[in-house]
Amino acid sequence: MTTSDTTRKQTRRPTKAATKKPSTARTAAAKPSVRKQVALPVSKPIPRPIADHGAIGNLSTTALVATDGTIDFLCWPCFDSPGIFSALLDPEKGGAFELAPDLPEARRIQMYLPDTNVLLTRWLGKDASVEIVDMMPMPQSDGACPTRIVRQVRATRGEARILLRCAPRFDYGRAPMSVTLKDDCAIFSSKGHPSLRLSGPVKFTRDQRDVTAALILRHGETADFVLEENDVPMLSSHELHELARYTIRYWQDWVSRSTYKGHWRDAVTRSALVLKLLTSIRHGSMVAAATYGLPEAEGGERNWDYRAIWIRDASFTVYALMRLGYHTEASAFYRWLSERAAKSGKRGALRVMYALDGSLPKKETVLEHFDGYGGAVPVRIGNDAIDQIQLDIYGELLDSIYLSNKYGEAISHEDWAGVCRVVDHVCRDWNKPDAGIWEIRSKPRHHLHSRLMCWVAVDRAIRLASKRSLAAPFTTWIKVRNAIHDDIWRNFWNEDVGHFVQSKGSTELDAALLLMPLVRFVSATDPKWLATLDAIGEQLCDDGLVYRYKTEDGLEGEEGAFAACSFWYVECLARAGRVDEARLIFEKVLHYANHLHLYSEEFDTHGRLVGNFPQAFTHLALISAAYYLDRQLSGQRKGEWQA
């Protein structure tokens, strides 16, 4: 369905099946010709690359839709709920929702409807063409809209046979389930989980725990399939199409609020849509990624659960949203962050990550029964990094609070009291070793990036207190800020190798050092910083792809290049005045995205997407790099110390 499809009248050839009175409230806009029900062959596991997916969602959860029409990842009903479709991690045991025409040699094209998160997948065959529109309807103004998946199939040319197989697996495939068939719908049930209902204009057939169907669509005919919880009212065809029109309009209206008009607007807009897609409408928080268990390297063990909110992402999120004009979303996330500071306890300590509602995420466990993406095990849910000490998070939190107060609403008295406790905690612990931004699982170290962000935490608190005339122990804070500054220059600049180093006493580099000029600790043209930038380009960069580090981190195997670091590198080059070089590398990295301009966490040696997908951190870094580089190319060259 395109935007114009929602307003024009569907035409069809009348058939006996098309004129039969429907047995449910929903009818198709052009009733398909159900000639006969054809049993589907037993499907075989088909490896689907991470890149061969689009993402749809409703600000409560996100589903991945492959280019072959299969939904092979979905947690229901929320981002951090147990998965019901996890075939991306295990084709045999994970569960999937397959829907596609029987056109083996057709060309497949996948795209988003313009300025939306509504996905269109097309099959162009010799004698027939078919398209499927996939969406998760958005909540309307009253906030009422249960989680549901709507799949609208339409024959755009000729005649095609459509095949369907729906195979949910409750609780990551661990829970027993039953299937009940009724008129025009199938009910999937599992004790302790919400029952799901699949409805559509066909007769479903049960195949053990799966449901199958087949139907014939002629030119202009459509069929609507809806997966939703069984206790919600079934919508009529008219109501369903009105909801689809509303969803398309919702996304397009949201995009129209963007103030960004510069270079690479399509990439920036898609990145903004990804960030919105990963945002909880209920809490205002943003998950790091939609998925869990996708490996950072082929066959490796670095398979983490990213369906939580990392404090690490905070300042990048607030900055990106504000720069694009999305102040409502930035303010909502700021309030969520401020509440973490307000509830930090007497000593002001924070956790590395939180659940959507601000509670603690679940402990890390392994899904032993899953074979893993490409055989990469263990498949983990939950994340034990929650118990790590990562001192950098305080800087990211305070930077986001500072930015929000600088460009948005003023901080409350209670929230400022929480900030003071957090900063006092930093003043006590800044010189301790930690796990660092990359959450190493080896012995804690004195990381430069952690020191840097402790400096940011104290510096932004001083700036905020001065800007808002807030009560603060200025003498103590300024003394600590200066001590951290001196410590970094004394202990993390290595004269022998001629650049800043990852940790105290080491000679190794770390791409997190790219944040030094971005947080304004050092001038982007300082000779010692430029020497470090050149060293990162020589030792950690491969054709624009930047690796985080090349040191031992307590885990087996290797990992890919980290996508966000590639965009940080671009921004550092631009700030150093090397604009042509920055632009070329930026263009290269843009072409490493998938066909929908989505990014995962990392790239393998071939530049293919690996890691959890889509990844907010990557898209945040893309927006920041695009914004600054566009400003340079447009001649808007402000002073180095301006935001």
Side-chain angles (χ1 to χ4, degrees):
M1 184 184 67
T2 62
T3 306
S4 59
D5 290 330
T6 63
T7 57
R8 70 169 179 256
K9 184 177 180 180
Q10 300 282 353
T11 60
R12 64 185 186 280
R13 236 159 73 190
T15 65
K16 182 178 180 180
T19 58
K20 182 180 177 181
K21 184 179 180 180
S23 56
T24 70
R26 181 181 297 126
T27 57
K31 189 74 173 182
S33 306
V34 186
R35 292 182 176 177
K36 62 179 180 178
Q37 301 298 325
V38 184
L40 289 180
V42 176
S43 59
K44 297 181 180 179
I46 302 173
R48 299 180 184 90
I50 294 169
D52 287 0
H53 290 81
I56 59 174
N58 64 346
L59 309 188
S60 291
T61 191
T62 302
L64 301 187
V65 186
T67 54
D68 65 358
T70 299
I71 297 177
D72 55 6
F73 187 93
L74 172 62
C75 297
W76 190 290
C78 299
F79 293 106
D80 52 1
S81 299
I84 62 167
F85 298 136
S86 304
L88 186 59
L89 292 157
D90 191 311
E92 291 282 3
K93 298 183 282 291
F97 187 172
E98 303 169 7
L99 183 64
D102 187 13
L103 298 172
E105 298 181 1
R107 180 187 178 191
R108 298 199 302 264
I109 301 174
Q110 194 175 59
M111 58 177 280
Y112 282 107
L113 299 190
D115 292 341
T116 75
N117 280 316
V118 176
L119 197 61
L120 174 66
T121 307
R122 303 162 64 201
W123 287 258
L124 306 178
K126 179 179 180 181
D127 300 315
S129 296
V130 172
E131 65 182 25
I132 297 179
V133 172
D134 285 302
M135 71 180 75
M136 299 184 73
M138 294 301 299
Q140 296 185 344
S141 56
D142 59 0
C145 186
T147 295
R148 56 166 59 96
I149 288 180
V150 177
R151 315 199 71 183
Q152 301 178 318
V153 193
R154 180 170 179 259
T156 57
R157 176 170 56 88
E159 178 180 287
R161 179 167 168 258
I162 310 300
L163 305 178
L164 176 150
R165 177 183 294 272
C166 188
R169 299 291 183 261
F170 292 91
D171 191 26
Y172 307 104
R174 297 179 296 187
M177 56 175 287
S178 61
V179 180
T180 304
L181 298 182
K182 296 185 178 180
D183 292 339
D184 285 1
C185 72
I187 312 295
F188 303 93
S189 302
S190 180
K191 186 177 181 180
H193 301 277
S195 295
L196 302 180
R197 178 180 65 226
L198 173 66
S199 57
V202 296
K203 181 180 179 181
F204 294 108
T205 302
R206 182 170 56 210
D207 180 7
Q208 297 181 345
R209 295 184 296 170
D210 305 347
V211 165
T212 64
L215 67 154
I216 303 296
L217 288 181
R218 298 190 182 113
H219 177 210
E221 293 180 340
T222 65
D224 298 335
F225 295 95
V226 180
L227 183 67
E228 58 197 342
E229 293 189 12
N230 189 39
D231 59 356
V232 303
M234 187 179 290
L235 302 178
S236 68
S237 178
H238 173 73
E239 290 172 326
L240 188 62
H241 282 260
E242 284 298 310
L243 190 57
R245 277 197 290 268
Y246 172 81
T247 297
I248 293 169
R249 188 170 63 251
Y250 173 93
W251 288 116
Q252 291 175 340
D253 288 348
W254 187 82
V255 166
S256 71
R257 289 168 43 203
S258 173
T259 58
Y260 187 81
K261 308 298 180 185
H263 295 75
W264 311 290
R265 189 172 186 274
D266 287 346
V268 171
T269 297
R270 179 51 52 194
S271 292
L273 282 163
V274 170
L275 300 182
K276 182 67 172 177
L277 197 64
L278 298 176
T279 299
S280 167
I281 192 171
R282 181 178 178 185
H283 303 290
S285 51
M286 183 188 298
V287 293
T291 56
Y292 67 90
L294 293 179
E296 297 175 4
E298 183 177 352
E301 68 163 325
R302 303 164 188 264
N303 318 313
W304 315 112
D305 187 345
Y306 275 11
R307 299 169 301 154
I309 294 82
W310 264 254
I311 297 296
R312 175 194 67 186
D313 299 359
S315 57
F316 302 98
T317 302
V318 171
Y319 178 87
L321 292 173
M322 285 189 164
R323 282 301 179 214
L324 300 183
Y326 293 114
H327 294 278
T328 299
E329 287 77 9
S331 294
F333 192 41
Y334 157 70
R335 286 190 290 270
W336 186 91
L337 289 166
S338 295
E339 189 176 354
R340 305 287 73 75
K343 295 182 177 180
S344 59
K346 292 182 179 180
R347 291 188 58 81
L350 296 173
R351 295 285 189 155
V352 173
M353 70 191 78
Y354 294 88
L356 292 164
D357 61 358
S359 63
L360 297 183
K362 296 178 180 178
K363 295 287 291 182
E364 189 173 296
T365 58
V366 173
L367 299 178
E368 301 281 0
H369 61 295
F370 274 178
D371 292 338
Y373 177 86
V377 291
V379 177
R380 297 180 177 92
I381 54 175
N383 199 313
D384 279 350
I386 187 176
D387 294 324
Q388 288 187 341
I389 295 175
Q390 295 180 28
L391 295 173
D392 65 288
I393 64 174
Y394 300 98
E396 285 124 4
L397 175 74
L398 265 295
D399 199 31
S400 65
I401 292 175
Y402 171 74
L403 288 170
S404 298
N405 276 265
K406 184 176 180 179
Y407 299 109
E409 60 191 69
I411 193 168
S412 69
H413 174 75
E414 182 180 2
D415 288 346
W416 177 245
V419 166
C420 289
R421 290 196 300 272
V422 168
V423 177
D424 288 342
H425 174 79
V426 174
C427 290
R428 290 191 301 269
D429 287 10
W430 65 267
N431 59 351
K432 292 184 178 180
D434 72 341
I437 184 176
W438 308 130
E439 301 172 357
I440 63 170
R441 298 204 171 188
S442 57
K443 185 178 178 180
R445 307 170 191 171
H446 292 271
H447 291 94
L448 169 52
H449 176 264
S450 298
R451 292 287 160 87
L452 173 71
M453 298 312 292
C454 285
W455 176 87
V456 169
V458 184
D459 176 74
R460 301 312 191 256
I462 294 169
R463 290 170 181 256
L464 178 55
S466 299
K467 180 179 178 65
R468 295 293 187 189
S469 299
L470 300 169
F474 286 101
T475 301
T476 300
W477 287 0
I478 292 173
K479 182 178 179 180
V480 171
R481 181 184 63 179
N482 293 345
I484 300 173
H485 175 275
D486 294 344
D487 179 76
I488 290 174
W489 284 100
R490 182 174 60 253
N491 292 314
F492 295 91
W493 168 262
N494 189 308
E495 194 67 43
D496 293 336
V497 296
H499 56 69
F500 286 103
V501 292
Q502 179 190 54
S503 58
K504 188 174 180 179
S506 76
T507 59
E508 304 295 335
L509 285 162
D510 186 332
L513 306 187
L514 292 166
L515 292 173
M516 293 181 73
L518 303 191
V519 298
R520 295 169 179 80
F521 175 84
V522 64
S523 167
T525 56
D526 184 287
K528 289 190 174 181
W529 164 248
L530 292 177
T532 304
L533 180 62
D534 287 339
I536 289 174
E538 294 169 3
Q539 299 181 37
L540 297 181
C541 187
D542 178 12
D543 197 39
L545 301 182
V546 178
Y547 291 81
R548 295 189 289 185
Y549 51 81
K550 294 187 177 180
T551 55
E552 187 276 329
D553 60 4
L555 294 166
E556 296 293 332
E558 299 179 353
E559 64 166 5
F562 202 73
C565 294
S566 300
F567 291 116
W568 294 347
Y569 184 62
V570 167
E571 187 169 351
C572 284
L573 290 172
R575 288 179 179 270
R578 294 154 62 174
V579 176
D580 291 341
E581 185 181 356
R583 184 175 187 177
L584 177 59
I585 292 178
F586 189 69
E587 293 283 359
K588 286 182 177 181
V589 181
L590 288 181
H591 283 80
Y592 290 124
N594 81 345
H595 58 290
L596 298 170
H597 228 295
L598 304 180
Y599 289 90
S600 62
E601 181 185 13
E602 299 188 6
F603 307 105
D604 68 10
T605 53
H606 301 284
R608 294 184 292 242
L609 301 185
V610 291
N612 285 297
F613 172 89
Q615 170 85 330
F617 208 40
T618 304
H619 288 278
L620 290 165
L622 183 155
I623 291 170
S624 181
Y627 183 89
Y628 189 84
L629 188 54
D630 172 72
R631 192 169 69 179
Q632 296 294 91
L633 293 171
S634 302
Q636 302 173 33
R637 299 169 184 264
K638 296 185 178 181
E640 173 63 25
W641 298 103
Q642 297 186 36

